[in-house]
Amino acid sequence: MKKTFISGALALLVLAYPAHASAQQAASADKAERSHKQIAEAYFMAENQAAMSKMMRDMAVKPSGNVDADFTAMMIPHHQGAVHMAEAELHYGHNEKLRRIARNIIAGQRRQIGAMKAALGRPLSEGTSSATQSGHASQGGARPARNAAR
């Protein structure tokens, strides 16, 4: 009887161990996925905050006495901020509907930036401020860290 009990207990352990090990592996994988998502979220939030801060700094223009020039001097950085925020969605977001919206935002805001520059007779390649020109360069430098979070 004792031998049967021990054999039964061993059989139960042999059968239960793979399920236990599998559950532990699943929990470990879930923890790693949560950690990866938290890292990606932190990068996303940092990129968005940088875009918002830059946009607000660039929109703070000294009035020039020309309403049209002042309007575009504020609106172009505003639109560029939207482009940077939409790019962050494309880097980190997974919802295909939102990614499509982000692509549309990028295309639309870039068109409007070009239209505002054209309305003032400025070349499309001319930056409206040093911040507009440096915005892409500074974000480009952050990409290796961003890609590491993926």
Side-chain angles (χ1 to χ4, degrees):
M1 172 110 165
K2 190 175 185 182
K3 189 175 184 180
T4 305
F5 175 76
I6 291 174
S7 295
L10 282 174
L12 184 60
L13 284 174
V14 167
L15 292 174
Y17 180 76
H20 175 71
S22 177
Q24 282 190 334
Q25 286 175 345
S28 177
D30 185 48
K31 184 177 178 181
E33 184 177 338
R34 274 193 312 254
S35 176
H36 174 74
K37 285 182 178 182
Q38 288 172 338
I39 290 168
E41 176 74 6
Y43 279 120
F44 169 77
M45 293 303 291
E47 191 170 317
N48 253 322
Q49 185 58 49
M52 292 283 287
S53 295
K54 178 178 173 1
M55 178 185 72
M56 295 307 288
R57 277 190 316 271
D58 293 349
M59 287 174 52
V61 300
K62 183 177 177 183
S64 69
N66 179 335
V67 172
D68 297 328
D70 293 346
F71 171 73
T72 57
M74 290 183 280
M75 286 305 292
I76 290 172
H78 178 66
H79 282 41
Q80 189 61 50
V83 168
H84 291 312
M85 292 171 70
E87 288 171 341
E89 168 61 22
L90 292 179
H91 292 143
Y92 302 107
H94 301 289
N95 182 308
E96 282 307 314
K97 288 180 182 178
L98 292 175
R99 291 173 56 80
R100 185 172 41 254
I101 290 168
R103 285 189 291 274
N104 289 336
I105 288 169
I106 291 167
Q109 298 297 304
R110 286 182 175 160
R111 274 192 308 274
Q112 289 182 0
I113 289 169
M116 284 185 274
K117 288 179 179 181
L120 289 178
R122 295 194 333 229
L124 296 183
S125 63
E126 177 186 317
T128 57
S129 70
S130 61
T132 303
Q133 291 173 345
S134 67
H136 256 321
S138 66
Q139 281 198 345
R143 287 186 188 217
R146 186 170 48 235
N147 290 336
R150 289 185 130 186

